[in-house]
Amino acid sequence: MIIAIDGPAASGKGTLARRVAGHFGLACLDTGLLYRAVARDVLARGGSLEDEAEAAAVARTIDPATLSDPSLRLPGVGEAASVVARISAVRAALLDLQRDFARQEPGAVLDGRDIGTVVCPNADVKIFITAEAPVRARRRYEELRQRGEPVTFEGVLDVILRRDERDSSRADAPMRPADDAILLDTSNLDIEAAFDAAVGLIKRKIGQ
Ligand code: DC
């Protein structure tokens, strides 16, 4: 069984994907970490995020076993990932790896931006998580403040809006719900309620 979970930055899709995978006994891949790893490695080599050939060469070296590096989760790396994610050759280099992961038994949950549309168009269940931008910004702001980061709500909202715009307007595999995706708006749901709703949607879809 393959479950695709897509959605914008700070929508909570990563947490939801991990919990859904645990519930159904499936493997889980946060595909954003692949793009984050490309950005991290390009910058570590002193390269430019706009250099298509270099970013693609780096993308071909990404090892999914090395995605636990906590620095990948830093906000600046997410921003840089969104820049390299516009490069088609980078997307192509990461495609087989994601599809191989999806093919494992008994199945997998992948979360990202283009899982339902491009990576796994035949996924058994596709969920597109939405939440209003100010709600996502508020959640991210609280999380960063608790970690002691010097952030303002307006600053976080601005970064989220710019990332949404960049991820949904790129030419190759823009962020959008697949035609057969189920939309789940979590603007008024906490993580428990979002998890219950997602499990309910999945069970209905697979006829359990
Ligand atoms: O989900 P995230 O914030 O970790 O993703 C970081 C960036 O990676 C995101 O802004 C765009 C890119 N990305 C993508 O283009 N396609 C995916 N399937 C996942 C992430």
Side-chain angles (χ1 to χ4, degrees), residues 118-132:
V118 174
V119 178
C120 301
N122 297 323
D124 300 274
V125 187
K126 300 178 186 178
I127 298 179
F128 193 90
I129 307 286
T130 59
E132 287 155 20

Side-chain angles (χ1 to χ4, degrees), residues 9-79:
S11 59
K13 62 188 183 320
T15 308
L16 199 64
R18 272 194 305 280
R19 293 206 43 187
V20 163
H23 182 83
F24 289 101
L26 305 171
C28 186
L29 179 64
D30 173 349
T31 64
L33 289 177
L34 300 171
Y35 294 90
R36 287 170 181 257
V38 174
R40 174 201 58 193
D41 293 354
V42 168
L43 294 173
R45 287 159 56 146
S48 155
L49 298 170
E50 313 277 348
D51 182 335
E52 304 201 355
E54 176 161 29
V58 167
R60 286 190 281 273
T61 68
I62 296 301
D63 176 357
T66 64
L67 300 177
S68 53
D69 172 3
S71 75
L72 290 178
R73 309 234 174 229
L74 293 172
V77 181
E79 189 66 15

Side-chain angles (χ1 to χ4, degrees), residues 13 31-32 35-36 78 81-82 85 91 112-114 163 167 170:
K13 62 188 183 320
T31 64
Y35 294 90
R36 287 170 181 257
S82 165
R91 307 199 70 82
R113 303 288 187 293
D114 62 338
R163 189 118 76 92
D167 290 344
R170 66 175 173 236

Side-chain angles (χ1 to χ4, degrees), residues 6 19 24 33 37 43 55 65 75 78 81 91 100 109 115 156 171-172 188 192 203-204:
D6 290 302
R19 293 206 43 187
F24 289 101
L33 289 177
L43 294 173
R91 307 199 70 82
D100 288 346
V109 179
I115 307 302
V156 174
D172 190 5
N188 297 310
E192 287 305 324
K203 285 187 169 166
R204 265 200 298 285

Side-chain angles (χ1 to χ4, degrees), residues 138-149:
R138 174 66 55 193
R139 291 177 189 156
R140 181 56 55 89
Y141 168 69
E142 298 296 348
E143 183 190 316
L144 292 171
R145 253 180 34 133
Q146 272 173 19
R147 278 203 248 149
E149 306 266 348

